[in-house]
Amino acid sequence: MTRVLAVTNQKGGVGKTTTSVNLAAGLAQSGMRVLLVDLDPQGNATMGSGVDKRALKISVYQVLLGLATAESVRQKSEAGGYDLIPANRDLAGAEVELVNLEHRESRLKGALKSITDEYDFVLLDCPPRSTCSR
C-alpha cells in the first residue's frame, strides 16, 4: 500500500523542502520506491534532486492543468535514487488558472492515480500557505 505524505507548514523557511528531499533520499536508500512531487514554484526540491528547473520543458504545472500526464513529466533523481515530478516558476500561475477548472481540489490526486501503485511512498513538497494537506 502506497503512503502519501504531505510536508506542509504555513510558514516558509522552516525546512519543508530539506525534509522532503532528505526523506525521499533516505527512503530510497533503504530500498523503498519513492516519488517526490515538487509543488512549490520556487522549485527548490527539483534543484535539490539534481534537476535544473530552468531547463524544464514540462513540469507539475502541466500535470495540474491536464496538459501532460504524471508519467510523461516524472524524472529520475540520479543523485537521490528516487523519482521526481519537478516544478519551476510556471507553477506560480496555476492557482489562478485552476480557479475555473472542475475538480481543482482533486486534480493532483487524479493525475497521480495511474502511477501511485508503483511506489511505496509519495512525498508532496508543499509551498508555504498551502492547502496540500486538505
Side-chain angles (χ1 to χ4, degrees), residues 6 44 53 64 80 100 109 114:
N44 291 329
K53 66 184 177 185
L64 291 172
N100 296 321
K109 182 178 181 179
S114 63

Side-chain angles (χ1 to χ4, degrees), residues 10-98:
Q10 292 293 315
K11 186 178 178 318
V14 295
K16 294 180 298 294
T17 296
T18 301
T19 298
S20 298
V21 171
N22 286 311
L23 183 57
L27 288 168
Q29 188 174 22
S30 70
M32 298 290 144
R33 300 167 301 153
V34 180
L35 173 66
L36 174 60
V37 183
D38 190 352
L39 293 168
D40 192 334
Q42 293 182 37
N44 291 329
T46 297
M47 295 292 281
S49 298
V51 175
D52 186 354
K53 66 184 177 185
R54 297 165 300 213
L56 294 175
K57 301 288 186 229
I58 55 175
S59 69
V60 71
Y61 169 77
Q62 284 81 11
V63 173
L64 291 172
L65 293 179
L67 303 172
T69 64
E71 296 94 339
S72 69
V73 173
R74 73 177 160 186
Q75 299 184 23
K76 185 74 171 175
S77 169
E78 298 300 333
Y82 52 86
D83 287 349
L84 169 75
I85 295 183
N88 59 18
R89 64 183 177 176
D90 293 345
L91 187 57
E95 189 173 334
V96 174
E97 294 180 51
L98 287 168

Side-chain angles (χ1 to χ4, degrees), residues 98-99 101-110 131 134:
L98 287 168
V99 168
L101 297 179
E102 288 187 33
H103 310 291
R104 64 184 169 271
E105 301 86 5
S106 60
R107 291 180 80 83
L108 179 62
K109 182 178 181 179
T131 57
R134 290 188 186 165

